[in-house]
Amino acid sequence: MNFRQIEYFVNVAELGSFSRASAVMRTTQPAISRQVRALESGLKLQLFHRNGRGAQLTDAGQRFLVYAKGILHQLDGARHAVTGSDADLTGKVVIGLPPSIGQVMTVPVVRAVRERYRNAELTIMEALSVSLQERLLAGRIDVAVIHNPAPSPLLKIEPILTESTCLLSAAHGVKPRTVPFRSLDRYELISPAAPHPIRSMVEAEAARCNMKLKIALEIDAVSNMLQLVREGYGHAVVPYNVVRAGMSGTGIVVQTIARPTLKGTVALVTAARRPHTLLADGITDILRQVVQQTLNPESSSRRMAR
């Protein structure tokens, strides 16, 4: 086994094709195929299912990919430790963000990463928190910002801040600024499908209050949910960052939920057993700072005051 074999393997795994890896690495497809075959022979394992549509990782290949990427990342870190600065770090980092958070964080994150790590490859995936957690466990994401992540020994969860929830309604008639939680059973709600963290939090509190909620529609996409609220098809309980991001727009009234106030956690989440790299750790630091700057209610208030 050598570093060249591992590098070829990782590129084929991430691109899903020997031919695409050949184009990216500027070497011949037979050369890449020979190196990967030699790696499989050394490991005595089949790492890919090869077919006419490309190359798909086997279960063994999926497990080996986590460590192979870690080996390459550690090599980059070692080079950086003796020869370079942050700007010279290379590699690829994949970030996961929920849509409402991505609305406010994507641009400042990209800006900060480009200023600090000019040679880094950055991918930002937007998906619901449950999906992001699954991708972290599968090794497809390096770090994610997640609402109310489910505890897991396979994940490192770092709570960053707590955030209140609110009720969104169509802007028809006069509505109070505050809605008691116990009155939510009178509303037809538009909600993401279970096990979305906001849905789980609201239903858990309803169970404690011996309430039965009326879920009129299950809609995962935030933009579609807001449009349906705007058109009067129901009401939605959402984290306040949806409002802060400006996604609610016009035609919607925002009401604070009280007695009790529902608060969710926004956390940075990484895979506990995945090898860390200098680049991934640095970009995680950037994420931590941007979360505080963009989602922290006190920071938002100061920006509005200015």
Side-chain angles (χ1 to χ4, degrees):
M1 185 188 304
N2 58 53
F3 286 116
R4 180 57 56 135
Q5 292 171 352
I6 294 172
E7 186 178 18
Y8 285 162
F9 162 74
V10 169
N11 274 272
V12 173
E14 291 189 332
L15 295 170
S17 163
F18 283 85
S19 60
R20 284 195 287 270
S22 171
V24 168
M25 301 190 73
R26 297 182 180 178
T27 190
T28 65
Q29 185 172 335
I32 293 178
S33 184
R34 281 196 301 273
Q35 293 288 348
V36 172
R37 288 283 189 194
L39 178 62
E40 290 178 314
S41 177
L43 293 170
K44 296 182 173 56
L45 292 169
Q46 183 180 351
L47 300 175
F48 291 104
H49 295 298
R50 297 159 172 84
N51 53 52
R53 298 186 300 277
Q56 182 179 4
L57 286 168
T58 62
D59 289 343
Q62 288 278 9
R63 293 192 298 271
F64 184 69
L65 178 62
V66 174
Y67 294 95
K69 292 173 74 172
I71 290 168
L72 296 181
H73 289 159
Q74 291 295 328
L75 179 60
D76 280 342
R79 287 176 182 148
H80 168 73
V82 296
T83 64
S85 63
D86 284 350
D88 298 320
L89 281 175
T90 60
K92 180 178 180 180
V93 174
V94 182
I95 295 172
L97 299 174
S100 59
I101 288 179
Q103 184 87 359
V104 294
M105 281 187 56
T106 296
V107 172
V109 166
V110 170
R111 187 183 298 125
V113 170
R114 282 288 171 261
E115 288 175 357
R116 184 171 173 185
Y117 302 109
R118 63 188 176 207
N119 295 319
E121 295 179 53
L122 181 66
T123 297
I124 296 181
M125 293 183 176
E126 286 196 6
L128 297 179
S129 291
V130 173
S131 177
L132 293 177
Q133 193 155 340
E134 291 170 353
R135 295 180 196 187
L136 271 168
L137 291 169
R140 296 173 57 196
I141 291 177
D142 295 294
V143 56
V145 180
I146 293 181
H147 293 292
N148 302 333
S152 168
L154 301 178
L155 296 175
K156 178 184 176 183
I157 298 172
E158 178 190 344
I160 301 295
L161 54 87
T162 57
E163 185 164 46
S164 60
T165 56
C166 53
L167 181 71
L168 303 184
S169 306
H172 302 315
V174 178
K175 294 180 173 64
R177 288 188 175 184
T178 302
V179 174
F181 180 86
R182 289 181 179 276
S183 71
L184 289 186
D185 58 357
R186 301 201 300 264
Y187 294 84
E188 292 194 346
L189 298 177
I190 302 172
S191 172
H196 189 280
I198 297 298
R199 170 80 174 263
S200 299
M201 180 174 65
V202 174
E203 289 189 333
E205 184 60 35
R208 280 192 289 270
C209 296
N210 198 26
M211 293 166 51
K212 183 172 177 59
L213 299 175
K214 302 173 185 174
I215 306 298
L217 294 167
E218 291 186 331
I219 307 292
D220 284 342
V222 177
S223 57
N224 291 334
M225 182 191 302
L226 297 179
Q227 184 61 34
L228 290 167
V229 169
R230 192 173 290 112
E231 294 184 15
Y233 287 96
H235 309 257
V237 177
V238 299
Y240 195 75
N241 66 64
V242 170
V243 178
R244 188 177 297 112
M247 296 180 73
S248 56
T250 59
I252 289 179
V253 171
V254 181
Q255 297 168 279
T256 301
I257 298 173
R259 301 192 302 278
T261 299
L262 292 185
K263 289 188 176 291
T265 300
V266 177
L268 275 180
V269 186
T270 55
R273 299 177 184 175
R274 187 171 183 173
H276 287 194
T277 68
L278 290 175
L279 180 61
D281 286 344
I283 290 179
T284 299
D285 286 339
I286 288 173
L287 272 178
R288 187 179 294 110
Q289 294 166 14
V290 174
V291 168
Q292 290 285 7
Q293 293 165 1
T294 59
L295 301 184
N296 190 314
E298 292 182 3
S299 299
S300 299
S301 298
R302 285 195 294 269
R303 287 196 303 272
M304 290 175 66
R306 287 197 293 266

